[in-house]
Amino acid sequence: MTLLHDHELAGAFDHASRTYDRLTALNPGYRADLLRSARRLRLPDDGAGLHILDLGCGTGASTLALLRAAPRARITGVDASEGMLRRALGKRWPEHVDFRHLPAEELTPQTAGPFDAVFAAYLFRNLTEPDRVLANVRALLRPGGRLAVHEYSLSGSAVHRALWTAVCQGVIVPAGTLGGDRALYRHLWHSVLDFDTAPAFTRRLAHAGFRDARAVPVAGWQTGIVHTFVARNDPHTPSTPPR
């Protein structure tokens, strides 16, 4: 299967935004897992005085997780899909939460930031140039700033690959097809199979110059399928090409 990329993928999310929240609600623990990942940023004092970037915020489920984990922080949500952002903007938010329509690849210190922490949920698997975006994230983060990535990233076990395929064929793709978004949910299926394993993405973070990078599996049926990756920005650590 040919995966969707860039504007084509953003357009697919625009169309799917109508039913996206309803479909994710079918996933047991979806919002609870996002909250656990957001809390793994370990932001002090409920985030008071901090500015957090929600990179690839979608319809705002990850933004809500950040708001619950750090209710006193200023939060900026960014996404490449106008449709998804429209759904996010249609929800009620406090004044210290704002949203911007901007692809992750276009975020630079000249367009946003600086940030004390970055949260990225279900984003990096969809990027054409993940290393470029990781470099941008490092440039946007203050020294010592924290990164948490919540992502479908398989353990590397054949059992987990088979389980993911079974769930996609039996539940995710049929549910997406009912909403007229079969191509997007087939993309989801195959993008997970094609993406870095959890050990490989941890190495990618280290090669990008992040310190103390580690992967934490989520609980429940998604163990070995979804991980939280946590790391911090050390401006003195040089990046090296991924191997």
Side-chain angles (χ1 to χ4, degrees), residues 82-156:
E82 283 191 86
M84 298 289 271
L85 272 181
R86 195 177 303 115
R87 295 287 167 175
L89 287 166
K91 300 170 183 178
R92 297 184 65 178
W93 302 99
E95 290 183 356
H96 57 280
V97 176
D98 66 282
F99 295 93
R100 295 182 61 185
H101 178 221
L102 196 66
E105 294 84 353
E106 295 181 16
L107 277 170
T108 67
Q110 290 71 43
T111 60
F115 297 98
D116 300 285
V118 174
F119 187 50
Y122 305 118
L123 171 75
F124 277 92
R125 170 182 45 81
N126 289 318
L127 297 175
T128 303
E129 299 180 272
D131 295 315
R132 174 185 166 191
V133 173
L134 283 174
N136 288 352
V137 168
R138 277 197 73 194
L140 290 164
L141 272 172
R142 298 184 192 277
R146 304 175 189 187
L147 169 67
V149 175
H150 180 95
E151 186 57 271
Y152 287 108
S153 179
L154 300 173
S155 67

Side-chain angles (χ1 to χ4, degrees), residues 12-237:
F13 274 114
D14 287 346
H15 188 270
S17 64
R18 302 166 296 109
T19 58
Y20 192 81
D21 285 341
R22 290 200 298 273
L23 285 176
T24 57
L26 298 176
N27 180 353
Y30 179 87
R31 286 165 178 76
D33 289 338
L34 284 173
L35 179 57
R36 289 190 192 96
S37 291
R39 285 176 171 161
R40 285 177 177 137
L41 285 167
R42 296 186 177 179
L43 300 174
D45 196 23
D46 286 341
L50 302 182
H51 190 187
I52 308 173
L53 173 65
D54 184 9
L55 188 56
C57 64
T59 62
S62 52
T63 316
L64 179 59
L66 281 173
L67 187 60
R68 293 179 63 189
R72 300 173 66 191
R74 178 186 169 198
I75 301 170
T76 298
V78 173
D79 203 275
S81 165
E82 283 191 86
M84 298 289 271
L85 272 181
R86 195 177 303 115
R87 295 287 167 175
L89 287 166
K91 300 170 183 178
R92 297 184 65 178
W93 302 99
E95 290 183 356
H96 57 280
V97 176
D98 66 282
F99 295 93
R100 295 182 61 185
H101 178 221
L102 196 66
E105 294 84 353
E106 295 181 16
L107 277 170
T108 67
Q110 290 71 43
T111 60
F115 297 98
D116 300 285
V118 174
F119 187 50
Y122 305 118
L123 171 75
F124 277 92
R125 170 182 45 81
N126 289 318
L127 297 175
T128 303
E129 299 180 272
D131 295 315
R132 174 185 166 191
V133 173
L134 283 174
N136 288 352
V137 168
R138 277 197 73 194
L140 290 164
L141 272 172
R142 298 184 192 277
R146 304 175 189 187
L147 169 67
V149 175
H150 180 95
E151 186 57 271
Y152 287 108
S153 179
L154 300 173
S155 67
S157 163
V159 172
H160 293 138
R161 288 181 66 88
L163 175 59
W164 173 246
T165 289
V167 169
C168 286
Q169 290 179 331
V171 180
I172 294 175
V173 174
T177 300
L178 289 175
D181 298 301
R182 179 179 176 82
L184 177 62
Y185 290 97
R186 282 184 61 81
H187 164 89
L188 168 61
W189 170 19
H190 291 280
S191 68
V192 174
L193 297 177
D194 287 357
F195 187 57
D196 293 348
T197 62
F201 190 71
T202 304
R203 290 193 296 271
R204 188 186 291 274
L205 289 171
H207 288 313
F210 287 94
R211 292 284 301 276
D212 306 323
R214 62 190 180 95
V216 183
V218 304
W221 76 268
Q222 293 182 118
T223 298
I225 295 174
V226 178
H227 291 79
T228 311
F229 300 88
V230 290
R232 62 186 179 89
N233 179 33
D234 183 344
H236 303 296
T237 301

